[in-house]
């Protein structure tokens, strides 16, 4: 079983895998965009090649590894995390799936709320 019983239909499991892939691609693309900005700063002479290399290294050892680790989440967990982190909008999730995941979304939202 992939999560709550309501999510354990073939169609819902497939949709969750699709949504998890979309979320991962969006988050990775956004983070790579930040690295791309560092390359632009280097090209403009704002940072030297050593600083650029350091930022690439930090991306690789930090953000990239963190994102890779999210691939270990079950699809319903990855989607709930993506909703909590505003990577996926609630309107992108079928209502029956969203309703079944509210508790899991809350689990991922709680640390964000506590940080504010």
């Amino acid at each position: 079983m992939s999560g709550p019983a309501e999510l354990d239909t073939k169609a819902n499991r497939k949709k969750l895998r699709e949504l998890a892939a979309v979320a991962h691609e969006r988050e990775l693309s956004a983070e790579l965009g930040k690295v791309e900005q560092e390359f632009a700063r280097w090209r403009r002479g704002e940072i030297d090649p050593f600083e650029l290399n350091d930022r690439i290294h930090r991306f690789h050892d930090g953000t990239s590894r963190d994102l890779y680790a999210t691939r270990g989440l079950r699809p319903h967990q990855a989607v709930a995390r993506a909703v909590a982190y505003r990577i996926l909008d609630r309107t992108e999730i079928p209502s029956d799936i969203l309703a079944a995941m509210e508790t899991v979304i809350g689990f991922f939202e709680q640390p964000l709320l506590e940080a504010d």
Side-chain angles (χ1 to χ4, degrees):
M1 186 161 77
S2 65
E6 298 84 356
L7 302 178
D8 201 28
T9 67
K10 186 174 182 177
N12 283 351
R13 287 191 309 266
K14 179 180 179 188
K15 185 64 176 175
L16 285 165
R17 285 191 305 272
E18 291 169 358
L19 288 166
V22 166
H24 184 77
E25 182 177 347
R26 284 182 190 172
E27 192 168 10
L28 181 58
S29 293
E31 293 300 330
L32 286 172
K34 294 175 186 176
V35 174
E36 181 179 38
Q37 291 173 359
E38 296 300 325
F39 273 91
R41 292 186 66 210
W42 168 66
R43 284 188 201 95
R44 291 190 304 263
E46 296 173 8
I47 60 174
D48 63 32
F50 302 105
E51 182 65 24
L52 176 61
N53 186 58
D54 182 59
R55 295 188 185 178
I56 293 167
H57 182 74
R58 281 188 276 158
F59 169 79
H60 178 265
D61 284 352
T63 304
S64 179
R65 287 179 191 239
D66 293 344
L67 287 176
Y68 185 80
T70 66
R71 299 292 299 235
L73 295 174
R74 292 181 175 170
H76 78 282
Q77 294 168 327
V79 172
R81 177 187 174 277
V83 170
Y85 282 73
R86 309 293 190 260
I87 298 159
L88 291 173
D89 189 89
R90 289 174 177 270
T91 61
E92 296 177 90
I93 317 298
S95 59
D96 61 326
I97 293 176
L98 186 62
M101 291 193 329
E102 286 298 340
T103 301
V104 183
I105 293 168
F107 171 81
F108 286 104
E109 284 178 331
Q110 190 59 41
L112 299 173
L113 297 172
E114 290 172 359
D116 286 341

